[in-house]
């Protein structure tokens, strides 16, 4: 995990009720964070997955309540990893109920399980069984699972969003122009993003713009593959500072959001040296590429469509 300022963050919460042991902003120093985790007084006498999930849901909602005011256009992947040592069969119905509520409100939040029990018991609660269930019994020691967990987390797309997509006022275009997501790409790595239909299901003409500086990045999009790349629609600027555009005409048509596909995006540096080292204050290394994401025509102002989206079944939401 890239634990540092501007990178990844981690927290630990009680499996009894979701009370934080360490919150996301406890420290950005990875060595200090590791020491804090090791010394946590984590008990195993009580485990209530549904209550923990519900408490986590309300905390994430509270965090996101200021996104509109702060003009947030995207965030890192938000994943919840449960360590399960015993059967959760007595909580199944309650977990499904909480997940329905949570993923209706925040469909980008990702659920994963590391289990010592029967993996099949957890199949209904994850989007991708092979990726989202870690069988701890395959490891001799628990710490051996860390690289595998980190690898799987890295395949989950970060979140692009537009909190004011319901705006249809005369000033909606100028409001939308104020939203911009900025990211940094490491050499020889690819970042993945999810733009969900909850942000664009009413769009007529949706335009996505990407611009890279301190180097050149290549961007790919797909509505079927979570990790787009070769063989998908890809574009790269001819020089740093140039904008590339992806255009979608009525991306959801007349479909309700639960029938409309996500737009998946990948961003990767082309590793072409433009003799312009990354000098931004947020750059971690001089060979990083900085990019920005902006858009126009992103709308979600249909009340009827949103109602259908909220009423999806647990299996439809997670599949």
């Amino acid at each position: 995990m890239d634990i540092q300022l501007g990178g990844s963050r981690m927290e630990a919460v009680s499996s009894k009720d979701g009370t934080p042991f360490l919150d996301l902003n406890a420290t950005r120093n990875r060595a200090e964070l590791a020491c804090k985790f090791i010394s946590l007084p984590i008990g195993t006498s009580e485990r209530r997955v549904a209550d923990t999930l519900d408490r986590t849901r309300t905390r994430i909602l509270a965090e996101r309540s200021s996104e509109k005011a702060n003009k947030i256009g995207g965030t890192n992947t938000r994943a919840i990893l449960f360590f399960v040592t015993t059967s959760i069969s007595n909580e199944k119905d309650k977990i499904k109920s909480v997940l329905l509520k949570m993923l209706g409100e925040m469909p980008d939040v990702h659920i994963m399980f590391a289990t010592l029990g029967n993996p099949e018991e957890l199949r209904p609660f994850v989007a991708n069984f092979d990726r989202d269930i870690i069988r701890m019994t395959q490891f001799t020691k628990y710490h051996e699972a860390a690289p595998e967990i980190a690898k799987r987390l890295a395949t989950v797309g970060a979140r692009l969003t537009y909190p004011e997509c319901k705006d249809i006022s005369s000033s909606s275009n100028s409001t939308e122009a104020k939203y911009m997501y900025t990211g940094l790409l490491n050499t020889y790595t690819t970042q993945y993003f999810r733009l969900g239909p909850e942000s664009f299901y009413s769009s007529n003409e949706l335009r996505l713009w990407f611009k890279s500086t301190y180097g050149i990045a290549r961007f790919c999009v797909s509505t079927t593959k979570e990790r787009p790349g070769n063989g998908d629609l890809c574009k790269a600027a001819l020089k740093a500072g140039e904008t590339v555009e992806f255009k979608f005409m009525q991306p959801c048509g007349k479909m309700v959001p639960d029938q409309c596909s996500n737009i998946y995006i990948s961003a990767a540096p082309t590793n072409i040296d433009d003799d312009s080292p990354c000098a931004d204050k947020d750059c971690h290394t001089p060979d990083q590429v900085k990019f920005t994401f902006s858009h126009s025509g992103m709308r979600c102002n249909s009340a009827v469509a949103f109602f259908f989206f909220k009423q999806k079944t647990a299996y439809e939401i997670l599949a």
Side-chain angles (χ1 to χ4, degrees):
M1 301 295 290
D2 183 27
I3 305 294
Q4 60 178 308
L5 187 65
S8 301
R9 296 180 294 164
M10 291 182 66
E11 68 177 359
V13 302
S14 165
S15 61
K16 178 182 177 181
D17 58 10
T19 300
F21 288 129
L22 283 175
D23 67 30
L24 286 173
N25 297 309
T27 178
R28 299 297 179 88
N29 182 296
R30 67 189 71 185
E32 182 182 3
L33 183 65
C35 290
K36 288 180 178 291
F37 264 90
I38 291 171
S39 61
L40 287 176
I42 300 175
T44 58
S45 58
E46 291 186 84
R47 179 173 286 106
R48 297 199 289 264
V49 174
D51 290 344
T52 301
L53 191 61
D54 199 37
R55 173 72 181 276
T56 304
R57 179 189 69 83
T58 57
R59 290 178 59 236
I60 297 175
L61 280 175
E63 289 172 14
R64 294 184 175 185
S65 63
S66 61
E67 288 185 339
K68 182 176 178 179
N70 293 328
K71 300 293 185 288
I72 301 299
T75 59
N76 286 353
T77 301
R78 190 59 182 261
I80 301 172
L81 175 63
F82 284 98
F83 289 88
V84 179
T85 57
T86 57
S87 173
I88 60 168
S89 58
N90 62 327
E91 286 194 88
K92 275 191 171 182
D93 290 341
K94 192 172 182 181
I95 293 172
K96 286 180 183 177
S97 176
V98 176
L99 281 175
L100 262 175
K101 184 186 299 184
M102 180 177 190
L103 297 182
E105 297 163 333
M106 301 172 288
D108 60 280
V109 175
H110 193 73
I111 309 295
M112 300 178 73
F113 291 90
T115 180
L116 289 168
N118 178 11
E120 289 297 329
E121 185 179 52
L122 303 168
R123 185 182 287 274
F125 309 124
V126 295
N128 183 323
F129 182 79
D130 292 331
R131 179 191 62 194
D132 301 334
I133 303 294
I134 296 100
R135 298 170 174 84
M136 297 297 290
T137 51
Q138 67 183 298
F139 304 103
T140 305
K141 297 180 180 179
Y142 289 162
H143 72 265
E144 295 173 352
E148 181 64 22
I149 292 172
K151 182 176 73 174
R152 297 194 191 189
L153 284 171
T155 67
V156 181
R159 166 180 172 249
L160 297 176
T161 185
Y162 179 37
E164 296 193 62
C165 59
K166 291 183 174 65
D167 183 10
I168 56 173
S169 68
S170 58
S171 61
S172 60
N173 290 337
S174 60
T175 298
E176 188 172 6
K178 297 176 183 177
Y179 281 82
M180 184 176 295
Y181 174 80
T182 301
L184 292 167
L185 302 171
N186 294 323
T187 307
Y188 301 110
T189 62
T190 302
Q191 289 186 16
Y192 299 98
F193 299 87
R194 170 194 177 273
L195 177 61
E198 65 274 8
S199 291
F200 63 77
Y201 61 77
S202 299
S203 295
N204 183 46
E205 182 178 289
L206 174 61
R207 295 175 183 264
L208 309 181
W209 295 310
F210 298 89
K211 181 171 71 173
S212 55
T213 54
Y214 307 119
I216 301 171
R218 177 176 182 251
F219 302 95
C220 300
V221 299
S222 174
T223 57
T224 57
K225 292 165 57 179
E226 292 185 32
R227 305 176 71 185
N230 292 335
D232 297 303
L233 178 59
C234 299
K235 295 182 181 181
L238 297 177
K239 59 183 179 180
E242 193 172 82
T243 299
V244 299
E245 178 185 277
F246 297 95
K247 180 178 174 182
F248 299 84
M249 297 303 296
Q250 295 186 323
C252 290
K254 295 182 179 180
M255 294 183 291
V256 292
D258 63 321
Q259 298 171 340
C260 185
S261 298
N262 297 312
I263 297 175
Y264 299 106
I265 300 156
S266 68
T270 59
N271 301 313
I272 297 174
D273 187 3
D274 67 346
D275 296 320
S276 180
C278 193
D280 192 276
K281 63 181 179 64
D282 294 322
C283 294
H284 301 157
T285 58
D287 58 356
Q288 284 186 310
V289 175
K290 178 182 177 180
F291 75 94
T292 56
F293 163 68
S294 56
H295 49 81
S296 72
M298 196 173 293
R299 300 291 182 267
C300 61
N301 53 312
S302 168
V304 174
F306 188 70
F307 172 81
F308 278 102
F309 178 70
K310 297 279 283 185
Q311 296 300 313
K312 292 192 294 183
T313 67
Y315 286 93
E316 287 172 329
I317 287 177
L318 297 171

